Amino acid sequence: MTTTPGTDITSDRARLEANIEKIEALSQRLLEAISRRKPINPALNGPDPLLYGKAAQAYWQEWMQNPAKVFEQQVAYWGKALSHYLEAQTALAGGQLAPPEDTGPKDKRFSNPLWDSHPYFNFIKQQYLISAEAIHRSVDEIADLDPKEKKRLRYFARQIVDMMAPTNFFATNPDALQKALETEGESLVLGMENLVADLEANNGELVVRLADENAFKLGENIATAEGEVVYRNRMMELIQYKPTTEKVRETPIILFPPWINKYYILDLKPKNSLIRYIVDQGYTLYVVSWVNADESYSDVGLEDYIQDGYLTAIDLVREMCKVEQVNAVGYCIAGTTLALTLSLLKQRGEKPVKSATFFTTLTDFSDQGEFTPFLQDDFVDGIEAEINASGILKSFIMSRTFSFLRSTDLIYTPAIRSYMMGETPPAFDLLYWNGDGANLPGRMTIQYLRGLCQQNLFSKGEFEILGHTLDIKDVDVPLMSIAAEGDHIAAWKDCYRGVQKMGSRSKTFVLSESGHIAGIVNPPDKQKYGHYLNPDLKLSAEDWQASAEFHAKESWWPVWEAWLRKKSGKMVPARTPGDSSHSPICPAPGAYVRVKAA
């Protein structure tokens, strides 16, 4: 095939002009999208400036009292930076177009070989890492600063360091530059289209899409376990799942998922569905699907979740299954509220719950862990002001808060792929669920943040609700708590401490590998994450783990099922969803789970 001279140049020019037209149109849409952004409460954009003032005061006080130490820090930083600069210059002057040997720690952000082999990129990377180390060290060595404030300062310093990574800028990201060259700039146009689409979808707020929102449909290729909604009120839908065995255990299970997210994290796909696993083991399973709150729920509090959620669901299941007791499960904040409910039932002299299981559940907030920056008055005051204005805590605020705890993985890396590389977000079920958030009622949010997280009233036996003063010691039913070793939301040592304070004489604690989600959604067939077991809960958390029996690559699911089986009674004929008084309303996954957060 012959090519007419100039054809390629004409084609390239036409493509370039077309891309320029696209960029001009996208730029106009970008400005329009940003203009729709509503000002957010300033308190939600960072800490009280006094924090930095206190840090500066402590730093200068250290300078005055121990100038040698501060000077040593500066000299060490200057020395490393200058030494690296001179090494690079010497190599370049000698005609060596290669960087000095890189013996530093590996960082997955710098996986492109050019970060090690190309002098320009290697120099930028090394200077960044040297500066990052200096910033972290200077914060760590500040004396005379309150430990809580130091923890907050360390967090915000890390955010600055992560934000300034060279991978976050087009001119210093070799992956983005290579992609732009390979596609003749098409990747940049696609990236801008992704950016504008995300801004337009969120009224000018930049919420990075983590997954392809068109890849999944509830009830079709995700959340497909068969069941029926057998009850509905303004707080919840109660789903009863269809049995897969001819006989089932007499005592049914009620699973309360967190209302911060949606319940189908436990039913993503058949192969990793905890809901299917429970049903397949021969249990009658009910799962609560919480309402996605709007402004009309501003006055809804924890008492409404307890009364119209937990207590109502427990009574309904006992009635439908014709039993006196149920086995209850609570995940995350729903586990915290299950503990509150058990304390309330104890004080009322009622015993409708035979056993309780807690998934990654905090009940003692004396150590706020990684959430320390978000649980001080400046941030909580901002949350309260936001709630007073809108009646709810909007999903994107919570999502952004959680994401910044792992900003590299959940913000910057997805943004780079989408906006710099022009890639379509992946069709990943877990990330799809993560982006399908829920709003929180205003009253409940403040009760949780002020009464439980900040003041730790439940652990102190001082949490007042529904006419009772609730106490963690009242949780006296047989219980099992499953925590996750890498959990950055409910740190396992904090979960363990709460279990230690509970009043039950029969307590089992299981520590799974991995994090808040993967540590729980850990099917046995995968043989991926193991778990620790140790019956001695009088030990400190560190000693408990050190002397625990480790089961490598073994899911905790069978351990829990064996424990639960002993508390579930004899075998009875399998129960179909509903009864004569509670006809099925609609198939699972129901209607409430389909409502998107505003």
Side-chain angles (χ1 to χ4, degrees):
M1 178 178 178
T2 59
T3 302
T4 305
T7 300
D8 290 343
I9 296 176
T10 302
S11 176
D12 290 345
R13 183 178 297 168
R15 187 176 181 183
L16 176 62
E17 290 175 353
N19 283 337
I20 290 174
E21 290 181 4
K22 289 180 182 178
I23 290 174
E24 289 177 351
L26 288 167
S27 297
Q28 184 62 36
R29 285 173 58 193
L30 178 66
L31 293 174
E32 291 175 357
I34 292 175
S35 69
R36 292 198 295 271
R37 181 179 183 270
K38 296 180 180 179
I40 194 167
N41 192 312
L44 298 180
N45 285 326
D48 189 324
L50 289 176
L51 175 65
Y52 298 119
K54 291 177 182 178
Q57 183 179 3
Y59 182 85
W60 286 112
Q61 186 173 352
E62 181 77 9
W63 181 283
M64 297 298 294
Q65 294 178 354
N66 191 0
K69 178 181 176 181
V70 178
F71 190 67
E72 181 182 344
Q73 294 174 358
Q74 296 296 326
V75 169
Y77 166 65
W78 295 336
K80 286 184 180 180
L82 183 59
S83 175
H84 178 246
Y85 173 77
L86 290 176
E87 287 178 4
Q89 288 296 315
T90 301
L92 187 61
Q96 301 176 18
L97 294 178
E101 183 179 356
D102 183 0
T103 58
K106 295 301 179 183
D107 187 317
K108 61 183 179 181
R109 291 175 296 181
F110 305 117
S111 58
N112 190 311
L114 288 175
W115 288 113
D116 292 331
S117 63
H118 193 283
Y120 170 73
F121 292 113
N122 182 266
F123 178 78
I124 290 171
K125 180 189 78 170
Q126 292 294 336
Q127 289 293 323
Y128 166 74
L129 293 175
I130 289 169
S131 299
E133 180 188 10
I135 291 172
H136 290 313
R137 181 173 296 177
S138 64
V139 171
D140 289 340
E141 295 184 0
I142 290 178
D144 299 323
L145 190 64
D146 178 80
K148 189 175 290 185
E149 292 181 335
K150 190 170 184 177
K151 185 178 288 188
R152 299 181 73 207
L153 187 65
R154 187 180 289 118
Y155 166 81
F156 288 111
R158 187 176 77 241
Q159 294 305 317
I160 293 172
V161 167
D162 289 347
M163 181 177 65
M164 296 307 296
T167 47
N168 296 338
F169 301 91
F170 178 72
T172 52
N173 186 318
D175 293 301
L177 290 168
Q178 285 180 317
K179 186 73 174 286
L181 288 173
E182 291 168 1
T183 63
E184 296 183 351
E186 187 71 18
S187 61
L188 299 180
V189 176
L190 294 174
M192 195 169 184
E193 288 178 346
N194 290 340
L195 173 62
V196 171
D198 285 353
L199 287 168
E200 289 177 338
N202 295 284
N203 295 318
E205 287 289 346
L206 182 55
V207 180
V208 184
R209 275 183 302 152
L210 299 179
D212 182 358
E213 296 177 356
N214 297 316
F216 299 99
K217 292 187 181 299
L218 294 178
E220 295 183 17
N221 60 353
I222 196 171
T224 58
E226 290 187 72
E228 298 283 344
V229 174
V230 294
Y231 176 81
R232 176 188 293 150
N233 63 19
R234 71 185 296 257
M235 295 302 300
M236 65 164 184
E237 290 183 328
L238 184 64
I239 301 171
Q240 182 180 357
Y241 283 90
K242 182 179 178 181
T244 57
T245 56
E246 291 185 2
K247 291 192 174 183
V248 295
R249 295 285 168 182
E250 184 178 28
T251 305
I253 298 171
I254 308 178
L255 197 158
F256 297 96
W259 50 86
I260 290 176
N261 300 104
K262 295 184 178 179
Y263 85 88
Y264 67 87
I265 183 61
L266 301 172
D267 186 34
L268 292 175
K269 293 179 180 177
K271 64 181 180 180
N272 62 1
S273 170
L274 179 59
I275 287 174
R276 288 176 181 267
Y277 176 83
I278 294 171
V279 173
D280 288 345
Q281 305 312 305
Y283 293 90
T284 302
L285 176 64
Y286 294 82
V287 175
V288 166
S289 176
W290 299 104
V291 71
N292 197 340
D294 58 26
E295 291 79 359
S296 67
Y297 284 76
S298 61
D299 291 332
V300 166
L302 283 168
E303 57 268 38
D304 296 289
Y305 280 90
I306 293 173
Q307 187 65 59
D308 296 333
Y310 289 76
L311 298 180
T312 296
I314 290 170
D315 287 344
L316 282 167
V317 172
R318 291 168 62 210
E319 178 186 342
M320 284 189 279
C321 294
K322 298 178 175 58
V323 295
E324 292 299 317
Q325 293 182 306
V326 302
N327 290 317
V329 184
Y331 191 171
C332 190
I333 190 175
T336 307
T337 311
L338 175 59
L340 297 175
T341 304
L342 291 171
S343 175
L344 178 68
L345 289 169
K346 167 75 172 180
Q347 294 190 23
R348 289 179 173 178
E350 301 174 15
K351 299 181 179 180
V353 177
K354 183 181 288 189
S355 76
T357 303
F358 300 98
F359 295 165
T360 62
T361 294
L362 294 172
T363 49
D364 179 353
F365 295 85
S366 55
D367 185 345
Q368 297 168 347
E370 290 198 51
F371 278 91
T372 298
F374 305 109
L375 292 177
Q376 307 315 303
D377 280 337
D378 53 0
F379 190 82
V380 178
D381 288 347
I383 291 288
E384 195 161 10
E386 183 74 15
I387 286 170
N388 289 338
S390 63
I392 56 175
L393 181 61
K394 296 177 182 176
S395 172
F396 89 88
I397 296 177
M398 287 184 297
S399 175
R400 186 174 64 177
T401 300
F402 288 134
S403 294
F404 270 111
L405 292 173
R406 293 291 182 270
S407 57
T408 295
D409 294 332
L410 296 177
I411 296 177
Y412 299 121
T413 297
I416 289 167
R417 290 173 179 166
S418 184
Y419 307 147
M420 288 192 198
M421 309 286 287
E423 297 177 2
T424 300
F428 186 13
D429 56 356
L430 177 59
L431 292 179
Y432 173 84
W433 167 85
N434 190 71
D436 187 15
N439 303 319
L440 298 186
R443 175 177 164 78
M444 184 285 302
T445 302
I446 297 305
Q447 284 176 306
Y448 180 75
L449 292 176
R450 298 287 193 198
L452 294 175
C453 297
Q454 283 193 319
Q455 301 171 37
N456 198 26
L457 295 180
F458 182 50
S459 181
K460 296 176 181 177
E462 301 173 359
F463 191 73
E464 296 183 5
I465 199 168
L466 290 171
H468 291 265
T469 302
L470 305 186
D471 191 329
I472 193 173
K473 295 177 183 177
D474 292 331
V475 181
D476 62 355
V477 301
L479 66 89
M480 177 180 281
S481 174
I482 297 93
E485 189 176 18
D487 196 332
H488 66 287
I489 294 173
W492 80 265
K493 294 179 182 179
D494 300 332
C495 297
Y496 178 80
R497 187 175 60 252
V499 171
Q500 285 181 311
K501 291 186 175 183
M502 292 178 180
S504 173
R505 294 181 181 179
S506 175
K507 297 187 282 191
T508 302
F509 188 80
V510 182
L511 179 61
S512 173
E513 290 186 298
S514 196
H516 193 69
I517 301 301
I520 299 301
V521 183
N522 182 24
D525 292 345
K526 281 193 173 183
Q527 297 184 334
K528 190 171 185 180
Y529 300 120
H531 64 273
Y532 298 84
L533 286 173
N534 189 339
D536 190 354
L537 301 189
K538 294 180 181 178
L539 299 171
S540 68
E542 293 79 7
D543 291 342
W544 182 93
Q545 185 178 23
S547 58
E549 182 179 355
F550 179 58
H551 301 263
K553 296 184 178 181
E554 292 184 21
S555 169
W556 57 266
W557 289 11
V559 175
W560 175 53
E561 193 279 322
W563 176 85
L564 196 64
R565 191 187 316 145
K566 297 176 182 178
K567 297 163 178 60
S568 299
K570 63 184 180 181
M571 302 300 290
V572 299
R575 305 173 176 108
T576 56
D579 64 7
S580 58
S581 301
H582 303 89
S583 300
I585 298 172
C586 66
Y592 281 1
V593 74
R594 300 180 188 277
V595 177
K596 297 290 185 180

